[in-house]
Amino acid sequence: MQENMESKPIPSKREATWERVHSIPIIDCGEIITPLSLVPEHILVRSYYFELGIVGSLPECHARKSVLDKLLQASLLLPNHLRFVVLDAWRSQQLQKVLFKQCKSALANIYSDASEEEILAKTQQYVAIPSQDALAPSPHSTGGAIDLTIATRDGVPLFFGSPFDDPSEISNTNYFEDKLEKGELLSEREEIALKNRRILYNTMKQLGFVNYSCEWWHFEYGTQRWAIETGKEFAIYGPTAVSLNPFHDIENH
Ligand SMILES: C[C@@H](N)C(=O)N[C@H](C)C(=O)O
Ligand SMILES: [Zn+2]
């Protein structure tokens, strides 16, 4: 199974604009949002922004129930010595705002000659505009978006070629595939990153997730982007809220 996952190239794609993404209707199916840390034998959860102490973050990661179910099934496709590590999933509006602001100022520092408009456009490549608009939500506010990586069961994070949330071209899911296509030789480390990106992409894809092509770690199910890429007429997840008690639904039945 592993060989297939790491040898299958990631197809290149043209990412839809945010405008196009937000033009897709949403009919929320009302599915519950659930904590992701209750199946640690298959999925590890490290709430990345909480560990960084960013306001608006939670110690737990939450997603829609089907996202958890699919993630669990995808985890069974991973080679036995590997495990998914979820870094973020449902996101509060407050957190989305902080991430947007932080990324914008980091990019403004890097591209000091760029105009405000250019910086804004670049920022939107790496962080969605904070929105809980029922027609145009940021993907993470729906519980259908998930940021994840892979580690070995003995605790070593796999190498993906760029750190999580690095706002640069090397984070493009296809970065190493593109190099290969151009006939460039990959170093040994780059070969490893290429294979690890393929493993993550192909396992998630098999369960119906779509990847955001600027970020090797970002996947969606049930969202507007998912609807575009899977040919659905409408998205099934709109913006939602999280109950801080994971057993809330059980207690209410
Ligand atoms: C901030 C980053 N981890 C991320 O999730 N980016 C996408 C584009 C988003 O904010 O939806
Ligand atoms: Zn994300």
Side-chain angles (χ1 to χ4, degrees):
M1 185 60 77
Q2 182 189 9
E3 205 166 297
N4 187 23
M5 293 295 177
E6 67 177 42
S7 59
K8 199 169 165 196
I10 301 168
S12 64
K13 72 163 178 180
R14 202 179 175 160
E15 196 61 59
T17 61
W18 283 109
E19 222 172 35
R20 164 98 175 99
V21 168
H22 289 150
S23 73
I24 303 300
I26 301 174
I27 305 177
D28 197 310
C29 63
E31 202 174 85
I32 59 161
I33 193 142
T34 187
L36 301 180
S37 67
L38 299 175
V39 273
E41 62 283 12
H42 295 297
I43 301 167
L44 284 183
V45 176
R46 298 293 299 265
S47 183
Y48 182 83
Y49 301 120
F50 184 79
E51 290 188 12
L52 288 183
I54 301 183
V55 290
S57 60
L58 295 175
E60 171 66 283
C61 291
H62 303 80
R64 299 284 188 144
K65 180 68 169 66
S66 295
V67 172
L68 173 58
D69 291 346
K70 285 172 184 297
L71 198 58
L72 265 172
Q73 288 178 60
S75 77
L76 302 178
L77 301 177
L78 283 176
N80 235 344
H81 67 291
L82 298 179
R83 234 185 334 186
F84 286 135
V85 184
V86 173
L87 301 173
D88 193 38
W90 177 84
R91 210 176 272 166
S92 69
Q93 173 84 340
Q94 190 184 23
L95 176 57
Q96 188 75 30
K97 279 185 183 164
V98 177
L99 296 181
F100 193 87
K101 207 171 149 196
Q102 281 185 350
C103 182
K104 188 165 169 258
S105 65
L107 290 168
N109 277 333
I110 299 168
Y111 302 98
S112 48
D113 291 338
S115 67
E116 170 75 12
E117 220 171 77
E118 287 166 336
I119 294 297
L120 208 59
K122 258 192 188 303
T123 306
Q124 285 179 54
Q125 247 180 284
Y126 298 103
V127 187
I129 288 193
S131 164
Q132 281 191 313
D133 182 339
L135 301 176
S138 333
H140 278 277
S141 74
T142 69
I146 184 161
D147 294 339
L148 78 167
T149 184
I150 299 175
T152 64
R153 279 182 189 267
D154 48 11
V156 183
L158 296 194
F159 177 64
F160 281 85
S162 76
F164 172 61
D165 267 359
D166 180 1
S168 67
E169 213 193 335
I170 195 170
S171 294
N172 290 354
T173 312
N174 277 71
Y175 183 81
F176 299 109
E177 304 282 355
D178 290 347
K179 271 189 134 185
L180 270 188
E181 215 157 271
K182 284 185 226 151
E184 290 177 37
L185 271 187
L186 298 188
S187 68
E188 227 170 272
R189 292 280 283 166
E190 288 178 324
E191 276 285 345
I192 291 171
L194 172 91
K195 285 183 178 166
N196 290 338
R197 285 184 188 198
R198 285 179 179 177
I199 292 172
L200 179 59
Y201 177 90
N202 287 322
T203 46
M204 294 296 279
K205 173 88 194 304
Q206 197 138 322
L207 268 299
F209 288 94
V210 300
N211 171 249
Y212 176 54
S213 59
C214 296
E215 300 175 344
W216 55 259
W217 57 83
H218 178 107
F219 291 83
E220 298 184 18
Y221 176 82
T223 59
Q224 289 170 305
R225 178 176 284 110
W226 166 85
I228 292 177
E229 291 192 23
T230 57
K232 307 281 189 298
E233 272 175 44
F234 55 87
I236 55 171
Y237 301 149
T240 188
V242 155
S243 154
L244 289 183
N245 176 357
F247 301 104
H248 172 260
D249 285 292
I250 295 167
E251 286 168 3
N252 283 337
H253 283 118

